[in-house]
Amino acid sequence: MVEEKQSGADWRPVYAELENSIKIRHYSPKTLKSYIGYTRQFQAFVKSKDAKLIVAGDVKEFLTWLAVKKKVSASSQNLAFNALLFLFRNVLKSEFGKIDGVVRAKRRPYIPVVLSRDEIDRILSLLPDPYRLMIKLMYGCGLRISECISFRVHNFNFDMGILTIHDGKGKKDRTVPIPEAL
């Protein structure tokens, strides 16, 4: 019979199973990196306690520690929660149930910064080519940086005035109109 350790347990099988579970579900590499990062922080927080001995109280204390001591943002705390939820459900094959009483990081109200047309024109006039064209495409078509740098000539349909983005966020394809000025 293998004895479960209160500290110093080997977590390599947990990480291997976590990586396999994420890859099987075709989650993005960024999700894999984030989930492994929060799992490492959690492992350090529980002092490498054997994974079989981890309980909901450990998760609650960790999430509270993130908010109070580490002062992480609300979105980072939510990401940590989702990482641990995934770990429990898909790797440790257990549920940690309802987590009540966790100190939640406060989400600040988001007030978007909107530049005037004049400010946009001034910024664009200062950019050298080809960056100016890239920024105009991003601004005019609502592209993400990763989408802008990955598309090719065949993504443009100038006859119809549309741009097709393949494998955008969430591995989804979408089409957007190309501004006539471009």
Side-chain angles (χ1 to χ4, degrees), residues 45-67:
F45 182 81
V46 296
K47 299 175 177 57
S48 294
K49 181 194 299 188
D50 194 302
K52 294 180 189 96
L53 299 176
I54 293 172
V55 294
D58 296 324
V59 174
K60 181 179 172 182
E61 288 174 23
F62 175 69
L63 293 173
T64 301
W65 174 79
L66 282 176

CSV table of all heavy atoms in Angstrom, one decimal, residues 45-67:
chain,number,residue,atom,x,y,z
A,45,PHE,N,1.4,26.0,-2.7
A,45,PHE,CA,0.6,26.5,-1.6
A,45,PHE,C,0.3,25.4,-0.6
A,45,PHE,O,0.3,25.6,0.6
A,45,PHE,CB,-0.7,27.1,-2.1
A,45,PHE,CG,-1.6,27.7,-1.0
A,45,PHE,CD1,-1.3,28.9,-0.5
A,45,PHE,CD2,-2.7,27.0,-0.6
A,45,PHE,CE1,-2.1,29.5,0.5
A,45,PHE,CE2,-3.5,27.5,0.4
A,45,PHE,CZ,-3.2,28.7,1.0
A,46,VAL,N,0.0,24.2,-1.1
A,46,VAL,CA,-0.4,23.0,-0.2
A,46,VAL,C,0.9,22.2,0.1
A,46,VAL,O,0.8,21.1,0.7
A,46,VAL,CB,-1.5,22.1,-0.9
A,46,VAL,CG1,-2.8,22.9,-1.0
A,46,VAL,CG2,-1.0,21.5,-2.2
A,47,LYS,N,2.1,22.8,-0.2
A,47,LYS,CA,3.3,22.2,0.1
A,47,LYS,C,3.5,20.8,-0.4
A,47,LYS,O,3.9,19.9,0.3
A,47,LYS,CB,3.6,22.2,1.6
A,47,LYS,CG,3.6,23.6,2.2
A,47,LYS,CD,3.7,23.6,3.7
A,47,LYS,CE,3.8,24.9,4.4
A,47,LYS,NZ,2.8,25.9,4.1
A,48,SER,N,3.1,20.6,-1.7
A,48,SER,CA,3.2,19.3,-2.4
A,48,SER,C,2.5,18.2,-1.6
A,48,SER,O,3.0,17.0,-1.7
A,48,SER,CB,4.6,19.0,-2.7
A,48,SER,OG,5.1,19.9,-3.6
A,49,LYS,N,1.4,18.5,-1.0
A,49,LYS,CA,0.6,17.5,-0.3
A,49,LYS,C,0.1,16.5,-1.4
A,49,LYS,O,-0.1,16.9,-2.6
A,49,LYS,CB,-0.7,18.1,0.3
A,49,LYS,CG,-1.6,17.1,1.0
A,49,LYS,CD,-2.9,17.7,1.4
A,49,LYS,CE,-2.9,18.9,2.3
A,49,LYS,NZ,-4.3,19.3,2.7
A,50,ASP,N,0.0,15.2,-1.1
A,50,ASP,CA,-0.4,14.2,-2.0
A,50,ASP,C,-1.8,14.6,-2.6
A,50,ASP,O,-2.7,15.1,-1.9
A,50,ASP,CB,-0.5,12.9,-1.3
A,50,ASP,CG,-0.7,11.7,-2.3
A,50,ASP,OD1,-1.6,11.7,-3.1
A,50,ASP,OD2,0.2,10.8,-2.3
A,51,ALA,N,-1.9,14.5,-3.9
A,51,ALA,CA,-3.1,15.0,-4.6
A,51,ALA,C,-4.3,14.3,-4.1
A,51,ALA,O,-5.4,14.9,-4.1
A,51,ALA,CB,-2.9,14.8,-6.1
A,52,LYS,N,-4.2,13.1,-3.6
A,52,LYS,CA,-5.4,12.4,-3.1
A,52,LYS,C,-5.9,13.0,-1.8
A,52,LYS,O,-7.1,12.7,-1.4
A,52,LYS,CB,-5.1,10.9,-2.9
A,52,LYS,CG,-4.8,10.2,-4.2
A,52,LYS,CD,-4.4,8.7,-3.9
A,52,LYS,CE,-3.9,8.0,-5.1
A,52,LYS,NZ,-2.5,8.0,-5.2
A,53,LEU,N,-5.1,13.8,-1.1
A,53,LEU,CA,-5.4,14.3,0.2
A,53,LEU,C,-6.0,15.8,0.1
A,53,LEU,O,-6.4,16.3,1.1
A,53,LEU,CB,-4.2,14.3,1.1
A,53,LEU,CG,-3.6,13.0,1.5
A,53,LEU,CD1,-2.4,13.1,2.3
A,53,LEU,CD2,-4.7,12.1,2.2
A,54,ILE,N,-6.0,16.3,-1.1
A,54,ILE,CA,-6.4,17.7,-1.3
A,54,ILE,C,-8.0,17.7,-1.2
A,54,ILE,O,-8.7,16.9,-1.8
A,54,ILE,CB,-6.0,18.2,-2.7
A,54,ILE,CG1,-4.5,18.3,-2.7
A,54,ILE,CG2,-6.6,19.5,-3.0
A,54,ILE,CD1,-3.9,18.7,-4.0
A,55,VAL,N,-8.4,18.7,-0.5
A,55,VAL,CA,-9.9,18.9,-0.2
A,55,VAL,C,-10.3,20.3,-0.7
A,55,VAL,O,-9.5,21.2,-1.0
A,55,VAL,CB,-10.2,18.6,1.2
A,55,VAL,CG1,-10.0,17.2,1.6
A,55,VAL,CG2,-9.5,19.6,2.1
A,56,ALA,N,-11.6,20.5,-0.6
A,56,ALA,CA,-12.2,21.8,-1.0
A,56,ALA,C,-11.6,23.0,-0.2
A,56,ALA,O,-11.5,24.1,-0.7
A,56,ALA,CB,-13.7,21.8,-0.9
A,57,GLY,N,-11.4,22.7,1.1
A,57,GLY,CA,-10.8,23.7,1.9
A,57,GLY,C,-9.5,24.3,1.4
A,57,GLY,O,-9.2,25.5,1.6
A,58,ASP,N,-8.7,23.4,0.9
A,58,ASP,CA,-7.4,23.8,0.3
A,58,ASP,C,-7.6,24.8,-0.9
A,58,ASP,O,-6.9,25.8,-1.0
A,58,ASP,CB,-6.6,22.6,-0.2
A,58,ASP,CG,-6.2,21.7,0.9
A,58,ASP,OD1,-5.9,22.1,2.0
A,58,ASP,OD2,-6.2,20.4,0.7
A,59,VAL,N,-8.6,24.5,-1.7
A,59,VAL,CA,-8.9,25.4,-2.8
A,59,VAL,C,-9.4,26.7,-2.3
A,59,VAL,O,-9.0,27.8,-2.8
A,59,VAL,CB,-10.0,24.7,-3.8
A,59,VAL,CG1,-10.4,25.7,-4.8
A,59,VAL,CG2,-9.4,23.4,-4.4
A,60,LYS,N,-10.3,26.7,-1.3
A,60,LYS,CA,-10.8,27.9,-0.8
A,60,LYS,C,-9.7,28.8,-0.2
A,60,LYS,O,-9.7,30.0,-0.4
A,60,LYS,CB,-11.9,27.5,0.3
A,60,LYS,CG,-12.5,28.7,1.0
A,60,LYS,CD,-13.5,28.2,2.0
A,60,LYS,CE,-14.1,29.4,2.8
A,60,LYS,NZ,-15.0,28.9,3.8
A,61,GLU,N,-8.8,28.2,0.6
A,61,GLU,CA,-7.7,28.9,1.2
A,61,GLU,C,-6.8,29.5,0.1
A,61,GLU,O,-6.3,30.6,0.2
A,61,GLU,CB,-6.9,28.0,2.1
A,61,GLU,CG,-7.6,27.7,3.4
A,61,GLU,CD,-6.9,26.7,4.2
A,61,GLU,OE1,-5.6,26.5,4.1
A,61,GLU,OE2,-7.5,26.0,5.1
A,62,PHE,N,-6.5,28.7,-1.0
A,62,PHE,CA,-5.7,29.2,-2.0
A,62,PHE,C,-6.3,30.4,-2.8
A,62,PHE,O,-5.6,31.4,-3.0
A,62,PHE,CB,-5.4,28.0,-3.0
A,62,PHE,CG,-4.6,28.4,-4.2
A,62,PHE,CD1,-3.3,28.7,-4.1
A,62,PHE,CD2,-5.2,28.4,-5.5
A,62,PHE,CE1,-2.5,29.1,-5.3
A,62,PHE,CE2,-4.5,28.8,-6.6
A,62,PHE,CZ,-3.1,29.1,-6.5
A,63,LEU,N,-7.5,30.3,-3.1
A,63,LEU,CA,-8.2,31.4,-3.8
A,63,LEU,C,-8.3,32.6,-3.0
A,63,LEU,O,-8.1,33.8,-3.5
A,63,LEU,CB,-9.6,31.0,-4.3
A,63,LEU,CG,-9.6,29.9,-5.3
A,63,LEU,CD1,-11.1,29.4,-5.6
A,63,LEU,CD2,-9.0,30.3,-6.6
A,64,THR,N,-8.5,32.5,-1.7
A,64,THR,CA,-8.5,33.6,-0.8
A,64,THR,C,-7.1,34.2,-0.7
A,64,THR,O,-6.9,35.4,-0.7
A,64,THR,CB,-9.0,33.2,0.6
A,64,THR,OG1,-10.3,32.7,0.5
A,64,THR,CG2,-9.0,34.4,1.6
A,65,TRP,N,-6.1,33.4,-0.6
A,65,TRP,CA,-4.7,33.8,-0.6
A,65,TRP,C,-4.3,34.6,-1.8
A,65,TRP,O,-3.6,35.6,-1.7
A,65,TRP,CB,-3.8,32.6,-0.4
A,65,TRP,CG,-2.3,32.9,-0.5
A,65,TRP,CD1,-1.5,33.4,0.5
A,65,TRP,CD2,-1.5,32.6,-1.6
A,65,TRP,NE1,-0.2,33.5,0.0
A,65,TRP,CE2,-0.1,33.0,-1.3
A,65,TRP,CE3,-1.7,32.1,-2.9
A,65,TRP,CZ2,0.9,32.9,-2.2
A,65,TRP,CZ3,-0.6,32.0,-3.8
A,65,TRP,CH2,0.7,32.4,-3.4
A,66,LEU,N,-4.8,34.1,-3.0
A,66,LEU,CA,-4.5,34.9,-4.2
A,66,LEU,C,-5.1,36.3,-4.1
A,66,LEU,O,-4.5,37.2,-4.6
A,66,LEU,CB,-5.1,34.1,-5.4
A,66,LEU,CG,-4.4,32.9,-6.0
A,66,LEU,CD1,-5.2,32.3,-7.1
A,66,LEU,CD2,-3.0,33.3,-6.5
A,67,ALA,N,-6.3,36.4,-3.6
A,67,ALA,CA,-7.0,37.7,-3.6
A,67,ALA,C,-6.4,38.6,-2.6
A,67,ALA,O,-6.2,39.8,-2.8
A,67,ALA,CB,-8.5,37.5,-3.4
